Amino acid sequence: MAPVLLAQGPATCLIVNKTNPVTSLSKAQARKLLTGAQTTWPGGERVVLLMPALGDPTRAQALKKCCSMTEQQYAGDLLHANFLGEERVEPKTLPSAKAIVDAVQVLRGAIAVVGCGQVTDQVRMVSFE
């Protein structure tokens, strides 16, 4: 299955651990996952959200396409949820796309944003509708 690219320019993809049964996401599902509002996968596995560092273009593209948010709006949404006491998955940032792909390979509940050129056969791209 060919991935649905998240943005124009450098191609940005969502990836999951190969054991994750999810193969596609709606925009609403992707938004819930990337904002941390969805804390578990179907079946009960905890979601682990991995993102590129603040300022990385792939992060900005994914937030725009999946969440219709800028980085500032994303940070405000997380702060607001914390203030209200909502349970959210806090995104973990890693220093490189390779580190993100390596982490997704071993973390069963992981979902991550990476450049499509960084994806290996050790993880699975998730199509986005």
Side-chain angles (χ1 to χ4, degrees):
M1 169 193 338
V4 176
L5 305 182
L6 297 179
Q8 302 262 339
T12 303
C13 294
L14 296 177
I15 60 171
V16 295
N17 182 280
K18 284 184 112 173
T19 63
N20 190 322
V22 173
T23 59
S24 67
L25 297 168
S26 68
K27 183 173 182 175
Q29 290 169 319
R31 180 184 173 102
K32 284 180 181 179
L33 286 162
L34 293 184
T35 61
Q38 181 174 330
T39 60
T40 59
W41 290 101
E45 185 81 36
R46 293 278 305 163
V47 171
V48 178
L49 175 57
L50 304 172
M51 299 280 279
L54 183 66
D56 187 300
T58 56
R59 178 181 171 126
Q61 288 175 358
L63 291 177
K64 180 179 179 182
K65 182 68 174 173
C66 295
C67 303
S68 301
M69 292 181 174
T70 65
E71 187 64 56
Q72 290 172 325
Q73 291 168 324
Y74 183 70
D77 182 66
L78 288 173
L79 182 64
H80 183 72
N82 284 336
F83 179 76
L84 295 177
E86 294 177 6
E87 182 182 2
R88 291 279 179 110
V89 174
E90 292 287 331
K92 294 167 183 40
T93 58
L94 294 174
S96 69
K98 182 182 180 338
I100 292 171
V101 171
D102 289 348
V104 170
Q105 182 179 340
V106 297
L107 297 170
R108 291 175 42 93
I111 183 166
V113 173
V114 294
C116 292
Q118 302 297 318
V119 179
T120 69
D121 62 355
Q122 300 304 309
V123 296
R124 187 163 23 88
M125 286 188 275
V126 177
S127 63
F128 174 80
E129 303 168 20

